[in-house]
Amino acid sequence: MIISVASGKGGTGKTTVAVNLALSLNNIQFLDCDVEEPNAHLFLKPDIKDRRIATVPIPDVDESKCNYCGKCRDICAYNAIVVISPDDVVKGGSVLIFTNLCHACGGCSLLCPQFAIREVNKEIGLIEAGNCGDIEFVHGRLNIGEIMSPPLIRQVKEYIDSNRTVIIDAPPGTSCPVIASIKGSDFCILVTEPTPFGLNDLILAVEVVKKLSIPFGIILNRADIGDDGVDLYCKENNIPILMRIPFDREIAQLYSAGIPLIKEKKEYINKFNGLFELIKNQRVIS
Amino acid sequence: MKQIVVISGKGGTGKTVLTASFAALAKNKIMVDCDVDAADLHLLLQPEIKERYDFRSGKTAWIDRDLCQECGQCIDVCRFDAIRDDFTVDPISCEGCTICSYICPEAAIKLEENLSGEWFISDTKYGPFVHAKLGIAEENSGKLVSKVKEAAKEIAEKENLDYVIIDGPPGIGCPVIASLASIDLALIVTEPTLSGIHDMERVAEVSKHFKIPTKVVINKFDINPGNSEDIKKICQEEDIEVMAQLPFSQKVTESIVQGVPLIEFCKDRIAEDISLLWERIK
Ligand code: SF4
Ligand code: SF4
């Protein structure tokens, strides 16, 4: 079973929930798909055993074969290729590839009439795998200045071990990195807080999981601050609130020091086990 | 004209609360919300939308089943696994690369432009405000960020405004990089948690990579004073100025519930500190 933990708004407690759920259960694989800002390792302190450079294939033009026909430029949907004609007195003939715009679709190398384009690997980030006790751990780290995180997220997800309960820590937001992370999950936990910001972003996140047809439920973090907007919304829309975590300075302090909540507050182990039971049943219902 | 963006790496550190307070403090300015896929600034600025524009970006393939002979070449060529075994396109996976349409021997694949979102020019009691709403599960948030920034810059130039105040997105990827383009000051709001520090370091590296002048604000510094000291040390080593450290305050949540900028909601120490911070920024 794959359970992803997401939220529209950042900083609501995704990583806290994902990490503590993982530590409370058995036979877990943990994937941190927030490759722009991976944080789970700060809490799980995994023993990294394997490091792999993540790459995407990008075009490389052999200009001895190229006749500057411009086909690659015309077919590239992302304007990643500029072809300068040999008649250009200043620059002469050349093909410029803007690798940051390239989506690695492979079209140009496939369609070049002169077979002048081959693909070479471009590094986009790092994938680290290891373990933390019995938990199998994998995360990705996007390189600084790299634009596109979804290819790296997809590569982290290639590690999914279907013999384990997989917990995915997703990035915040509602756009492509989130989709890439939670797609294929059996259940998605949306973590939010009871404020107008939390509600606004929760509504967007709910639309996303509905669009992907993933069963979902809510965890309300810092449940006793703010207002009752999220509660009312969930009631009106029949969305289950799976768990409430109150605001507690001690929890905030543990978090700030990178200490998983369940290490100090053992009662949460039961709560997270209860959550897991709820999720398993929820899945049967929806 | 000075363009200032508030970013953080980690979400939820207080970007929007700070941006809204700057909106209330600054004179002669325009505000922009670049967190286009989970925009919140409008909840504090209470805009009245004056102009609405469609944001069209990217394409999605669809297969004309009357022409399709089910040869399967499109499935082989699509690197995004967007074409299902029944020869329909999964629009969420399709990245609009258009390659399938070139390969299809029956010319059965067409591409349609996406309506990926909307953007708005609004009035607020603090001045003009440009914001957006990315469609659900859409791509190209970076392009939408560039669009709203461009629109705001145009207005600022036309109306001779002094500041463009931008609420940035979390993370370090495409929308963040788009929001950093041609910025005069990137203000990183961080918090004294290990995650906050880790994420601040990553986003600071990004702004450095693009040679953007960068400064730091520590929010909720008193949650973990030791970590706050560490942040200062890191910033000193990186030659980044820490402009302010703001205390934890219950008033922050209360002001969000009321839907007003913190600075207008209370006169506590945190409000004073934010006023002083703005004096130093401007
Ligand atoms: S691989 Fe695709 S996206 Fe990249 S340059 Fe070639 S056509 Fe453009
Ligand atoms: S346009 Fe590209 S991504 Fe979309 S279905 Fe065709 S080959 Fe796949």
Side-chain angles (χ1 to χ4, degrees):
Chain A
M1 180 181 198
I2 304 174
I3 302 172
S4 52
V5 186
S7 75
K9 178 168 159 37
T12 55
K14 267 184 309 298
T15 302
T16 299
V17 167
V19 160
N20 287 289
L21 179 61
L23 289 169
S24 303
L25 306 176
N26 296 316
N27 196 29
I28 292 293
Q29 185 189 34
F30 191 101
L31 303 184
D32 191 348
C33 285
D34 188 357
V35 300
E36 294 182 37
E37 295 288 20
N39 283 154
H41 68 283
L42 298 170
F43 298 88
L44 291 171
K45 303 182 177 62
D47 192 0
I48 298 296
K49 301 221 164 75
D50 181 45
R51 288 194 170 77
R52 197 168 68 77
I53 306 270
T55 62
V56 289
I58 58 156
D60 181 47
V61 180
D62 178 349
E63 297 215 11
S64 68
K65 290 186 187 156
C66 173
N67 65 359
Y68 309 105
C69 72
K71 175 95 177 166
C72 55
R73 170 200 57 212
D74 298 343
I75 59 119
C76 179
Y78 312 105
N79 303 317
I81 303 180
V82 172
V83 177
I84 298 167
S85 131
D87 305 336
D88 188 306
V89 274
V90 191
K91 298 195 188 84
S94 67
V95 180
L96 307 175
I97 313 273
F98 294 93
T99 58
N100 252 341
L101 298 176
C102 175
H103 283 226
C105 72
C108 49
S109 59
L110 193 67
L111 296 172
C112 171
Q114 304 299 323
F115 304 104
I117 304 182
R118 62 179 190 133
E119 294 187 294
V120 293
N121 286 333
K122 180 181 90 151
E123 182 182 333
I124 55 166
L126 183 68
I127 297 178
E128 297 180 310
N131 64 286
C132 148
D134 299 336
I135 301 174
E136 254 179 50
F137 177 91
V138 187
H139 76 177
R141 299 178 71 82
L142 188 70
N143 281 357
I144 298 299
E146 190 57 52
I147 292 186
M148 270 168 276
S149 57
L152 178 55
I153 294 170
R154 288 192 283 264
Q155 291 181 32
V156 170
K157 287 178 74 179
E158 282 169 13
Y159 282 74
I160 285 178
D161 174 356
S162 48
N163 293 320
R164 289 181 177 248
T165 301
V166 181
I167 296 178
I168 292 179
D169 193 0
T174 60
S175 63
C176 29
V178 181
I179 311 293
S181 303
I182 69 175
K183 206 170 173 233
S185 298
D186 299 296
F187 193 90
C188 185
I189 301 172
L190 298 176
V191 187
T192 192
E193 56 183 33
T195 65
F197 286 6
L199 174 60
N200 182 64
D201 299 349
L202 173 67
I203 294 172
L204 299 172
V206 166
E207 284 183 59
V208 173
V209 289
K210 281 195 173 156
K211 195 155 181 174
L212 293 171
S213 311
I214 302 173
F216 65 99
I218 310 291
I219 290 187
L220 204 51
N221 193 13
R222 300 187 270 271
D224 44 356
I225 61 159
D227 58 10
D228 57 3
V230 172
D231 267 296
L232 291 174
Y233 166 79
C234 288
K235 201 176 280 167
E236 266 166 34
N237 293 280
N238 278 317
I239 298 169
I241 295 184
L242 305 168
M243 186 173 175
R244 291 169 195 269
I245 305 172
F247 176 77
D248 175 342
R249 246 190 126 98
E250 197 190 333
I251 295 180
Q253 255 139 13
L254 290 171
Y255 177 85
S256 75
I259 300 167
L261 163 64
I262 59 146
K263 298 268 155 144
E264 296 295 321
K265 292 170 111 48
K266 302 267 188 242
E267 68 274 22
Y268 276 91
I269 297 177
N270 268 334
K271 291 191 184 170
F272 280 106
N273 272 286
L275 171 70
F276 185 53
E277 287 307 312
L278 267 180
I279 289 173
K280 281 197 285 189
N281 297 332
Q282 205 80 43
R283 196 162 67 105
V284 177
I285 299 166
S286 43
Chain B
M1 182 190 54
K2 196 169 170 181
Q3 299 198 65
I4 302 164
V5 67
V6 184
I7 48 175
S8 64
K10 176 169 157 48
T13 58
K15 281 185 298 295
T16 303
V17 166
L18 205 56
T19 310
S21 289
F22 291 161
L25 289 163
K27 301 218 158 52
N28 207 26
K29 77 281 158 163
I30 181 165
M31 280 69 66
V32 189
D33 193 344
C34 283
D35 191 358
V36 294
D37 67 318
D40 284 333
L41 187 56
H42 64 282
L43 298 169
L44 299 179
L45 300 184
Q46 315 282 0
E48 196 187 310
I49 294 174
K50 293 287 177 201
E51 297 171 37
R52 264 174 198 273
Y53 299 92
D54 286 345
F55 170 63
R56 292 182 190 278
S57 178
K59 292 182 175 155
T60 302
W62 69 273
I63 299 175
D64 185 338
R65 297 308 312 275
D66 293 339
L67 297 176
C68 173
Q69 299 295 323
E70 310 200 339
C71 71
Q73 293 188 47
C74 54
I75 297 180
D76 296 341
V77 83
C78 177
R79 289 221 174 136
F80 307 101
D81 296 326
I83 302 176
R84 305 183 184 105
D85 293 338
D86 64 350
F87 299 96
T88 57
V89 175
D90 168 9
I92 293 173
S93 294
C94 174
E95 294 212 8
C97 72
T98 73
I99 299 311
C100 51
S101 69
Y102 292 98
I103 291 300
C104 176
E106 309 297 330
I109 305 184
K110 316 268 183 303
L111 282 123
E112 279 180 353
E113 205 176 40
N114 298 332
L115 177 59
S116 319
E118 261 190 302
W119 61 280
F120 320 97
I121 300 178
S122 296
D123 264 352
T124 72
K125 74 183 254 218
Y126 313 99
F129 175 38
V130 186
H131 49 132
K133 192 169 191 275
L134 190 70
I136 291 304
E138 285 293 344
E139 300 173 19
N140 285 322
S141 53
K143 285 198 181 137
L144 184 51
V145 165
S146 303
K147 185 97 228 165
V148 289
K149 270 183 66 192
E150 211 176 282
K153 198 174 161 213
E154 251 169 53
I155 297 172
E157 276 165 358
K158 206 167 72 202
E159 300 185 5
N160 244 324
L161 302 176
D162 295 323
Y163 302 100
V164 180
I165 300 176
I166 304 167
D167 192 4
I172 63 162
C174 119
V176 175
I177 290 171
S179 62
L180 282 170
S182 63
I183 283 294
D184 300 292
L185 173 66
L187 194 64
I188 302 177
V189 191
T190 187
E191 59 179 32
T193 63
L194 293 191
S195 317
I197 297 172
H198 171 268
D199 296 358
M200 168 196 80
E201 290 186 273
R202 298 222 339 135
V203 77
E205 264 186 77
V206 173
S207 63
K208 214 187 214 174
H209 180 91
F210 293 102
K211 305 195 168 53
I212 306 294
T214 304
K215 296 185 176 179
V216 162
V217 172
I218 308 173
N219 195 12
K220 304 179 235 181
F221 79 92
D222 44 352
I223 286 252
N224 189 326
N227 282 347
S228 290
E229 287 309 311
D230 289 345
I231 293 175
K232 286 188 216 160
K233 262 183 234 138
I234 293 166
C235 289
Q236 203 167 15
E237 278 161 25
E238 294 294 320
D239 203 20
I240 296 172
E241 182 191 348
V242 176
M243 292 193 88
Q245 43 177 10
L246 307 172
F248 173 82
S249 165
Q250 305 268 4
K251 293 281 165 57
V252 172
T253 303
E254 288 169 29
S255 72
I256 295 172
V257 169
Q258 294 305 316
V260 290
L262 179 66
I263 194 88
E264 290 193 340
F265 179 76
C266 73
K267 296 274 165 279
D268 292 14
R269 164 152 172 230
I270 185 166
E272 279 170 36
D273 288 346
I274 293 175
S275 308
L276 288 174
L277 171 62
W278 175 251
E279 287 302 312
R280 299 189 51 203
I281 290 172
K282 73 173 201 193

